[in-house]
Amino acid sequence: MENSQFISGIYNWCDRWCERCTFTARCRVFEKEEIRKNADPDQDVWTAVSDSFKETIELLRKMADEMGINLELSEDEKTEITLIEDSLEEITKAHPLKSLADDYLDEGKDWLESSATKDYLLQLQTQVELGTIGIEDAEKRIKSIEESLEVIQWYLFFIAVKIQRALGDQNREFWKDYPVEERGDLGTAKIASIAIDRSLGAWGSIYQIMPDDDILLSLLAKLEKMRRLLKDVFPNYLVFIRPGFDER
């Protein structure tokens, strides 16, 4: 029986940022991860996932043998699946929304790896030394930049991954027979939208502090185009109900 403490499936529709989540006490995945950490603090998460995968495969094979189920695919089935997957992958890659997400990822990554922030902080230090900016004002700006960068870095790859996933699910039409509020492609699009909105706010905060950086404006424009195009491609994503998050 499912423990009523936990919200079924809540971990499928989150942003994986457990440190900032208010639902960790009701998430079974979080509880299992905490148990794993406490049992073996030195074991990294990928080793734990690998061990769990091996156990699952062994159990599946045992059950299949007992029930006389053949888990192997025929060569014809393998060929058909490969052709379908390749075709769907090409369609997803060619989608304007996917291209926009990839461009944002590349440009955002380049900016984060550049000296833009370091250069600004050096300028800020000089201004403080000259007395043109107060220490308190400088500290507020630095804190805002640090907090914004944390959000940006968390969602930078996340957005591209979720958009590709949403487009792939939509192309496969697997969810077409489900109610709108339960369709996985819409749920994934909704998570992507949340990440885009939070990234817009974070980049916007930095742009207010560093208005002379044209790349920041370009990044904001890409995110806004992405936000609008996402609504066009998935017009009903707001209807999707994420367990826990959207049921307050």
Side-chain angles (χ1 to χ4, degrees), residues 49-65:
V49 169
S50 176
D51 291 344
S52 177
F53 174 77
K54 291 175 182 177
E55 291 175 3
T56 302
I57 292 299
E58 289 175 4
L59 178 61
L60 178 61
R61 286 173 178 167
K62 181 180 179 181
M63 292 177 64
D65 288 341

Side-chain angles (χ1 to χ4, degrees), residues 1-9 25-28 31:
M1 181 180 293
E2 181 73 13
N3 190 329
S4 59
Q5 166 192 342
F6 299 109
I7 299 174
S8 179
R26 306 194 65 187
C27 177
R28 186 174 291 280
E31 185 204 47

Side-chain angles (χ1 to χ4, degrees), residues 213-239:
D213 193 325
D214 293 337
I215 296 178
L216 292 177
L217 190 58
S218 173
L219 287 163
L220 285 167
K222 282 185 172 60
L223 281 168
E224 176 59 14
K225 288 180 181 178
M226 218 186 307
R227 187 182 69 83
R228 296 187 180 192
L229 186 54
L230 189 69
K231 286 185 177 181
D232 291 339
V233 178
F234 301 94
N236 296 317
Y237 76 78
L238 287 174
V239 181

Side-chain angles (χ1 to χ4, degrees), residues 132 134 143 219:
T132 56
K143 183 179 180 181
L219 287 163

Side-chain angles (χ1 to χ4, degrees), residues 191-204:
I191 301 170
S193 172
I194 291 169
I196 290 171
D197 288 348
R198 291 175 180 172
S199 298
L200 268 168
W203 283 113

Side-chain angles (χ1 to χ4, degrees), residues 1-69:
M1 181 180 293
E2 181 73 13
N3 190 329
S4 59
Q5 166 192 342
F6 299 109
I7 299 174
S8 179
I10 189 172
Y11 42 80
N12 290 322
W13 313 110
C14 70
D15 61 6
R16 299 296 187 268
W17 206 342
C18 298
E19 292 82 0
R20 294 197 176 191
C21 182
T22 58
F23 286 94
T24 51
R26 306 194 65 187
C27 177
R28 186 174 291 280
V29 169
F30 179 81
E31 185 204 47
K32 287 183 177 179
E33 178 60 13
E34 289 301 297
I35 291 174
R36 181 196 66 77
K37 288 179 181 178
N38 293 331
D40 189 355
D42 296 327
Q43 183 187 47
D44 65 80
V45 65
W46 298 116
T47 300
V49 169
S50 176
D51 291 344
S52 177
F53 174 77
K54 291 175 182 177
E55 291 175 3
T56 302
I57 292 299
E58 289 175 4
L59 178 61
L60 178 61
R61 286 173 178 167
K62 181 180 179 181
M63 292 177 64
D65 288 341
E66 292 176 353
M67 301 176 68
I69 299 174

Side-chain angles (χ1 to χ4, degrees), residues 130-230:
L130 293 174
T132 56
I133 291 180
I135 294 178
E136 186 176 343
D137 185 16
E139 289 176 345
K140 286 182 179 178
R141 296 187 187 190
I142 292 172
K143 183 179 180 181
S144 180
I145 290 174
E146 289 176 344
E147 291 176 346
S148 297
L149 287 176
E150 185 179 10
V151 173
I152 289 165
Q153 290 169 338
W154 186 264
Y155 291 118
L156 187 65
F157 289 88
F158 184 91
I159 291 173
V161 169
K162 290 302 178 182
I163 283 180
Q164 179 170 339
R165 171 68 181 275
L167 289 171
D169 284 350
Q170 184 186 61
N171 289 334
R172 286 178 176 82
E173 298 188 350
F174 173 81
W175 297 98
K176 290 297 175 71
D177 294 331
Y178 282 74
V180 176
E181 61 273 13
E182 296 179 8
R183 278 178 46 178
D185 58 332
L186 299 182
T188 304
K190 189 170 189 177
I191 301 170
S193 172
I194 291 169
I196 290 171
D197 288 348
R198 291 175 180 172
S199 298
L200 268 168
W203 283 113
S205 294
I206 294 179
Y207 182 65
Q208 289 178 13
I209 297 171
M210 304 167 58
D212 295 329
D213 193 325
D214 293 337
I215 296 178
L216 292 177
L217 190 58
S218 173
L219 287 163
L220 285 167
K222 282 185 172 60
L223 281 168
E224 176 59 14
K225 288 180 181 178
M226 218 186 307
R227 187 182 69 83
R228 296 187 180 192
L229 186 54
L230 189 69

